[in-house]
Amino acid sequence: MLKKLYIKNFTLISELDIEFSEGFSVITGETGAGKSIVLGAIGLLLGQRADSKSIKQGAEKCVIEAHFDLSRYPMTDFFNENDIEQDAADTIVRRELMASGKSRAFINDTPVPLALLKELGEQLVDVHSQHQNLLLGKQDFQLNVVDILAQDTKQLELYRQSFTLYQQAKRRLAELKDSIERNRQNQDFLQFQFDELANARLAEGEQEELERRSETMSHSEDIKTALYEADHALSGDENGIVSQLKTAVGALSGIAKVFPQAAELTARLDSSYIELKDVSQEVGSLLEDIDFDPSELDAVNARLDKLYDLQKKYRVETVEALLAIKADLEQKLSTIENSDEALAEQEAELEAVRTKCCQQADVLTNLRQQAARQIEQEMRQRLVPLGMPNVRFEIAVTKSELSHNGQDSVSFLFSANTSTSLQPVSQVASGGEIARVMLALKAMISGAVKLPTIIFDEIDTGVSGKIAEQMAQIMHEMGAGGRQVISITHLPQIAALGSHHYKVYKEETSQGTTSYMQQLKPDERVREIAQMLSGSDVSDAAIENAKQLLKVKQ
C-alpha cells in the first residue's frame, strides 16, 4: 500500500510530504484546489509521460517520491528479474523532472527505464478516473473482466500457446500455396533453366582445373624452351653439369687415400651428383611429355567460356554456386510435381493444431461462462442497494473467430428497469448508472486481483444521497482486509465514511498560488463535511448533519 507521498515543485505544489494508511481514505477539496495535481503526480510515478511544463515556475527540478509497503504482496520475482534490491516493507519509487526536459526514474534508488517503472506501477496502484467508465463499452475490457474473475490465467496461457502454433501452421500453408502458385506460373522457365544447367554437366573443381590447364598450354612454347635449356645445361654432351660433376667426383676419389681431406669433399659432391642426376632425368621426362596441341587449348577455353557465360547469366562466380541453383530448381520442380501431396500434408498439420486450439478454446469458454453466471448474480446483489431495484445484468458469451484471446465475444447487457429490454450497457446506462456498474465490477475485481492501492477519482459523478452512501460503503468494504482504497470525492456521504480524510486546498502566497494537502483531525472533518453540505456559509444545521454522517461510519 501507499505509505507516504512526497512532492516538490510540481505545478502548484511547492512541497508536500504526507502519509497514508490502509483501509478507506477520502480526499476532498474545492474544484481547482489541486486534487488533480496530486493525482497527476501519482500518475508520473506510475510511468506516465512527463512534461517539463509541470515543473513549478522558477524551479529547476521537480521530485515526486512514494513509499510503498509490499510485505503482503508476492513481488519478489519482479525485483530479482530486474536486479533491483528489494525492501518489501519500504519500496521507494521516485521520478525526477528537469527544466531542460529530461526525466529520470528510480526504484529503490536504482535508475530504471520508464517502461520498467510503468510495469511496476501497474502492480502497485489502480487509478480509476471518470474516463475509465468509457472502457465499459469496449469488448476487450469486458472480456478481461470476465477472465480476471474466472481466474483462467493458466488456461488462457495454454490456449495462447496452441493459438501461436495454429497461426504458424496457417502461415506455412499460405506460404506453400503462394510458392506453388508462383512456381507453376514459371514452371516452363524453371524447367528450361534446370535443363540448361543439367546439360552443362557441371562438376565441382572443374573450373579451377581447366583454368590451370589453359594457363599451362597458353605458355607451352615458353615452358618447352626453358625445359630444353635446363636439360641441355644439366646433361648436354660432355659439358653438362651432371657429366662434369661426375668427373669431379672421380678426380677427388682417386686422391682420397693419399689426401684424406678429399674424402669428405668426394662424399658431398657425390650427394650433389645423385640429386642433380635425378633432377636432370625429371627435366628430360617433362621435356618429352610437353606437346603443344592448339585444338586441346581451344577445347579447354571453349569449356571455360561456357562456364563463364552461365555464371554471368545466373549472377554467380563459381561452378559450386551454379550447382546450388540447379539443386534449388530441382527442388522447386519437385514441389510443383508433388504439390498436391505437400498441400495435403500441410493442411492435415493445420487441421491438427486447429483442433487442439479449439479444444483449448472450449475449455476457456466453459470457464468464462461459469464466471459470467457468477458475475451476473453478484452484480445484481451489488447494484440493487445502489438504487437499482429492478436491475438486470447479463453477460453474453458468444462464439467468434479464433483469436489471441480465444473464440469468445463478451458483451455486458444491462437494463435498469422492467420496461426496457437488455441492451449493451454503454448504450443504455446513464452516467450515474455506469459509475455504479464500474464500482461494483471494481469491487469484485479487487477481491480477485490483490492490488496494493486502488484510487477512485470522482467515481461518484451523477449520484447523490443514499446511493452515494452505499457506494461509499462498498469502497469501505474494499479497503478492509489490509487493502488500501482512496476516493477523491465531492460528496459528503462518501467523505464521511472514510477512515482517513485528507483535504486539498490552495492559498495565494507571495510566490503565487500554492496548493496544499493535509490530513484532517476529527473536528476539522466535521467542518469540511458541513461545508460540503451547505457551501461556504457553514450553518449549525450543516454541522449537526455532518456529525450525523460521521456517526454512520462508526
Side-chain angles (χ1 to χ4, degrees):
M1 70 172 190
L2 176 62
K3 297 195 304 179
K4 180 180 178 181
L5 179 65
Y6 176 80
I7 302 173
K8 185 176 179 63
N9 296 328
F10 182 66
T11 64
L12 297 181
I13 297 176
S14 295
E15 187 169 26
L16 172 66
D17 192 354
I18 195 159
E19 295 182 355
F20 291 88
S21 302
E22 65 180 36
F24 179 40
S25 300
V26 294
I27 299 176
T28 61
E30 296 180 359
T31 301
K35 298 186 298 297
S36 61
I37 296 174
V38 175
L39 199 60
I42 293 174
L44 289 178
L45 286 176
L46 303 182
Q48 293 180 4
R49 293 201 170 275
D51 186 345
S52 59
K53 295 178 182 178
S54 300
I55 300 176
K56 189 173 179 62
Q57 189 173 4
E60 291 296 321
K61 183 171 76 169
C62 159
V63 177
I64 304 168
E65 181 176 288
H67 293 244
F68 290 88
D69 182 355
L70 305 178
S71 54
R72 300 177 186 173
Y73 302 91
M75 300 187 65
T76 303
D77 289 347
F78 171 86
F79 290 92
N80 289 341
E81 289 170 4
N82 294 287
D83 196 24
I84 298 174
E85 184 177 349
Q86 181 186 17
D87 181 353
D90 189 26
T91 297
I92 305 172
V93 179
R94 187 169 77 254
R95 189 86 182 270
E96 297 179 357
L97 311 182
M98 313 298 175
S100 61
K102 293 183 179 180
S103 169
R104 298 192 300 173
F106 302 85
I107 300 174
N108 290 338
D109 289 328
T110 299
V112 296
L114 189 60
L116 190 62
L117 184 69
K118 185 172 183 178
E119 182 183 341
L120 176 62
E122 290 173 350
Q123 302 176 64
L124 296 178
V125 181
D126 175 26
V127 178
H128 181 95
S129 56
Q130 290 184 54
H131 77 272
Q132 265 201 324
N133 289 339
L134 299 175
L135 292 174
L136 204 52
K138 306 287 186 181
Q139 284 198 346
D140 286 348
F141 173 78
Q142 296 176 9
L143 178 61
N144 189 44
V145 168
V146 173
D147 280 337
I148 289 173
L149 297 173
Q151 296 185 335
D152 58 13
T153 303
K154 290 183 179 179
Q155 181 58 40
L156 184 58
E157 181 59 31
L158 287 174
Y159 165 78
R160 284 175 174 168
Q161 291 174 6
S162 296
F163 183 68
T164 298
L165 295 177
Y166 170 60
Q167 285 183 304
Q168 291 171 348
K170 279 181 66 176
R171 185 164 56 251
R172 286 194 297 271
L173 178 60
E175 290 172 352
L176 178 61
K177 287 181 176 178
D178 184 59
S179 175
I180 290 172
E181 180 61 27
R182 288 198 313 271
N183 289 341
R184 278 178 175 166
Q185 292 175 356
N186 297 323
Q187 185 172 7
D188 290 343
F189 180 61
L190 294 174
Q191 187 65 55
F192 168 78
Q193 289 183 313
F194 175 77
D195 291 343
E196 181 178 45
L197 293 176
N199 293 334
R201 301 181 181 279
L202 303 170
E204 289 187 11
E206 176 187 15
Q207 181 175 337
E208 291 78 4
E209 175 62 20
L210 289 172
E211 287 173 341
R212 185 191 63 76
R213 290 175 60 192
S214 176
E215 184 72 12
T216 299
M217 286 188 288
S218 296
H219 296 85
S220 59
E221 288 298 331
D222 295 336
I223 293 169
K224 195 167 186 176
T225 299
L227 288 172
Y228 175 80
E229 291 177 352
D231 180 64
H232 182 73
L234 288 168
S235 59
D237 301 329
E238 294 181 356
N239 294 322
I241 294 172
V242 175
S243 177
Q244 292 189 30
L245 190 57
K246 184 178 180 181
T247 300
V249 169
L252 289 176
S253 176
I255 63 172
K257 290 181 180 181
V258 295
F259 187 62
Q261 293 93 326
E264 181 183 351
L265 294 172
T266 299
R268 289 170 62 187
L269 283 174
D270 189 51
S271 175
S272 298
Y273 167 73
I274 294 171
E275 178 65 22
L276 285 175
K277 183 178 180 182
D278 184 62
V279 170
S280 176
Q281 290 174 346
E282 190 169 343
V283 169
S285 177
L286 289 173
L287 181 60
E288 291 179 2
D289 292 340
I290 288 294
D291 185 16
F292 174 63
D293 185 354
S295 62
E296 183 180 355
L297 177 61
D298 290 342
V300 168
N301 287 337
R303 178 60 176 173
L304 283 171
D305 288 343
K306 175 67 174 178
L307 297 181
Y308 294 152
D309 288 343
L310 287 173
Q311 290 169 14
K312 183 178 180 181
K313 180 177 181 179
Y314 290 94
R315 298 180 181 179
V316 294
E317 297 181 355
T318 65
V319 169
E320 286 70 25
L322 289 173
L323 287 169
I325 292 173
K326 175 174 169 285
D328 182 60
L329 291 168
E330 187 174 17
Q331 176 61 39
K332 288 180 178 178
L333 291 169
S334 176
T335 300
I336 295 172
E337 185 177 348
N338 302 304
S339 58
D340 291 341
E341 293 84 349
L343 281 174
E345 182 178 342
Q346 191 60 52
E347 286 170 348
E349 180 184 340
L350 175 62
E351 185 58 29
V353 294
R354 186 182 185 282
T355 298
K356 184 175 181 180
C357 192
C358 288
Q359 290 172 347
Q360 296 282 9
D362 288 340
V363 175
L364 201 55
T365 298
N366 289 334
L367 292 174
R368 287 167 172 167
Q369 288 175 338
Q370 292 173 25
R373 304 293 80 80
Q374 294 172 354
I375 295 169
E376 291 169 351
Q377 183 178 354
E378 188 171 342
M379 284 293 288
R380 283 190 289 269
Q381 293 172 352
R382 291 181 176 275
L383 291 173
V384 168
L386 292 177
M388 302 182 191
N390 299 313
V391 68
R392 286 178 291 159
F393 185 90
E394 292 184 9
I395 300 177
V397 181
T398 56
K399 288 276 188 178
S400 63
E401 293 294 322
L402 289 172
S403 70
H404 181 68
N405 291 317
Q407 59 181 358
D408 302 314
S409 176
V410 170
S411 179
F412 289 177
L413 305 177
F414 174 85
S415 174
N417 51 68
T418 55
S419 61
T420 304
S421 61
L422 284 165
Q423 295 183 49
V425 62
S426 60
Q427 297 179 16
V428 296
S430 66
E433 289 168 344
I434 285 180
R436 283 172 273 175
V437 169
M438 285 297 286
L439 177 60
L441 287 172
K442 287 280 183 174
M444 294 174 64
I445 291 171
S446 70
V449 180
K450 306 300 183 184
L451 274 171
T453 301
I454 302 174
I455 299 176
F456 290 106
D457 181 20
E458 299 184 0
I459 195 174
D460 48 39
T461 300
V463 299
S464 60
K466 189 67 177 178
I467 295 173
E469 187 178 319
Q470 289 292 335
M471 292 178 72
Q473 195 65 49
I474 290 175
M475 287 185 276
H476 193 277
E477 292 171 1
M478 289 172 66
R483 286 198 292 272
Q484 183 182 53
V485 176
I486 301 172
S487 176
I488 298 174
T489 181
H490 287 292
L491 297 181
Q493 293 87 351
I494 291 179
L497 261 72
S499 300
H500 314 278
H501 191 154
Y502 301 85
K503 180 178 180 178
V504 178
Y505 60 97
K506 64 182 179 182
E507 292 180 353
E508 294 296 330
T509 67
S510 58
Q511 297 179 347
T513 304
T514 302
S515 289
Y516 301 90
M517 181 177 178
Q518 69 178 51
Q519 184 171 3
L520 300 181
K521 298 176 182 178
D523 58 332
E524 294 173 330
R525 288 195 71 182
V526 172
R527 185 163 187 84
E528 172 68 7
I529 292 173
Q531 189 170 345
M532 295 173 73
L533 286 165
S534 63
S536 56
D537 296 327
V538 178
S539 63
D540 291 340
I543 293 289
E544 287 303 315
N545 196 358
K547 290 179 179 178
Q548 291 300 316
L549 286 175
L550 286 166
K551 284 182 180 179
V552 174
K553 177 178 72 68
Q554 299 171 359

